[in-house]
Amino acid sequence: MVNGRELGVDEQAVIKTLVIEGEGRRALLVLKHGDREVLTRQLARHIGVRTVAPFSPTVVSRHFAYLIGGSSPFGARKVMPV
């Protein structure tokens, strides 16, 4: 996966899309700056659920038609909250 440094772009200017599994295997899209982390415990608390976790790469590519490193909030096959 290419990051902002390799492209000569400030990491903060890069927006990354993460596919997160919420309660009931519900898919959520999380957008973050390239220089930031997503703390799953804080995210779960913020959206009012017990736990969240990244979907496995196999599940992401099978259900969302994205290659790992190429997920996008645009053109998704399924409606997912962002």
Side-chain angles (χ1 to χ4, degrees):
M1 178 169 56
V2 177
N3 62 37
R5 286 186 303 261
E6 292 172 356
L7 297 173
V9 176
D10 182 15
E11 291 275 331
Q12 187 175 2
V14 175
I15 302 297
K16 294 185 177 185
T17 304
L18 306 175
V19 183
I20 302 290
E21 178 180 355
E23 288 182 345
R25 299 195 47 84
R26 184 171 156 218
L28 310 165
L29 294 180
V30 175
L31 304 179
K32 72 172 199 81
H33 287 282
D35 63 342
R36 300 296 176 124
E37 283 185 49
V38 173
L39 302 174
T40 55
R41 180 177 278 167
Q42 288 181 359
L43 175 60
R45 192 176 313 132
H46 181 73
I47 63 174
V49 299
R50 293 185 94 163
T51 61
V52 296
F55 269 108
S56 72
T58 306
V59 172
V60 172
S61 62
R62 186 176 67 227
H63 292 291
F64 302 105
Y66 295 131
L67 297 175
I68 301 307
S71 297
S72 170
F74 305 105
R77 288 183 183 181
K78 298 180 179 188
V79 175
M80 294 173 269
V82 179

